[in-house]
Amino acid sequence: MVVCESCNTAVEPTANYCPECGSELSPTRKDWSDGFLSLVDRGHIQEAIDGNESLPKGYHDRLHETVRHALSDFCLLDRWEDFDNHEALFGDLPEDEIDVDDWEELEKITRLTCPFRFILNAADVDQFCTFLELSVLLAIPEAEQPDDVSVSIQIDTIKD
């Protein structure tokens, strides 16, 4: 048996996460994916999405914290003048018009919509509009802001 360092629960030696608190048991064995989630996390989450696995208690809390840290990292990068946000987001996309028949290009464009969908799924439409308005206002450097700035974003939803 292995003992979880976070909650002192005895767990099977083959477990990657504590079934009691959700803490990762062997972070040194973590293989990183292309994102902020480990390959192990990606596997567990995909299995949960597919309905083949239920994640242990506490797992979601750890993931919530991981997402909050990732968002903080994005904010830090945004404040760094030497970091090219455009290259990070659009670097693997063609400079000219996107070919709508090219599924690989469309998949890359779809990737850019994920943060917006992530926020929209967490908030209602009005909150989402407020977030977008604040984002636009905060993107203007303070020294360049006119005395009176107003940003308004409206999303119209059509319900059957």
Side-chain angles (χ1 to χ4, degrees), residues 60-72:
H60 290 88
D61 293 337
R62 187 180 61 77
L63 286 178
H64 293 156
E65 185 175 342
T66 300
V67 169
R68 284 190 292 273
H69 286 276
L71 292 172
S72 294

Side-chain angles (χ1 to χ4, degrees), residues 4-138:
C4 173
E5 293 178 15
S6 297
C7 70
N8 294 322
T9 299
V11 297
E12 295 295 324
T14 56
N16 291 313
Y17 297 93
C18 175
E20 184 62 31
C21 72
S23 294
E24 190 168 22
L25 297 174
S26 301
T28 56
R29 291 184 2 209
K30 184 185 292 188
D31 295 319
W32 287 98
S33 65
D34 289 339
F36 66 88
L37 295 173
S38 71
L39 290 175
V40 172
D41 279 336
R42 292 174 69 94
H44 286 302
I45 293 166
Q46 188 60 56
E47 287 296 316
I49 290 169
D50 294 342
N52 300 326
E53 182 176 345
S54 62
L55 300 174
K57 179 182 166 190
Y59 191 87
H60 290 88
D61 293 337
R62 187 180 61 77
L63 286 178
H64 293 156
E65 185 175 342
T66 300
V67 169
R68 284 190 292 273
H69 286 276
L71 292 172
S72 294
D73 290 345
F74 286 121
C75 291
L76 180 64
L77 287 172
D78 187 53
R79 293 191 342 249
W80 184 25
E81 289 181 20
D82 290 342
F83 185 76
D84 186 350
N85 293 358
H86 185 273
E87 177 64 26
L89 292 175
F90 302 104
D92 57 351
L93 293 171
E95 294 280 334
D96 52 353
E97 190 172 316
I98 300 294
D99 178 3
V100 295
D101 294 323
D102 186 333
W103 285 103
E104 189 174 315
E105 287 181 21
L106 290 175
E107 185 177 355
K108 292 174 184 176
I109 291 292
T110 303
R111 173 191 66 207
L112 296 175
T113 68
C114 286
F116 297 106
R117 288 182 281 133
F118 188 84
I119 294 169
L120 185 55
N121 286 328
D124 62 30
V125 172
D126 291 334
Q127 288 175 318
F128 184 68
C129 288
T130 301
F131 292 146
L132 289 175
E133 290 168 359
L134 286 171
S135 296
V136 170
L137 286 173
L138 293 171

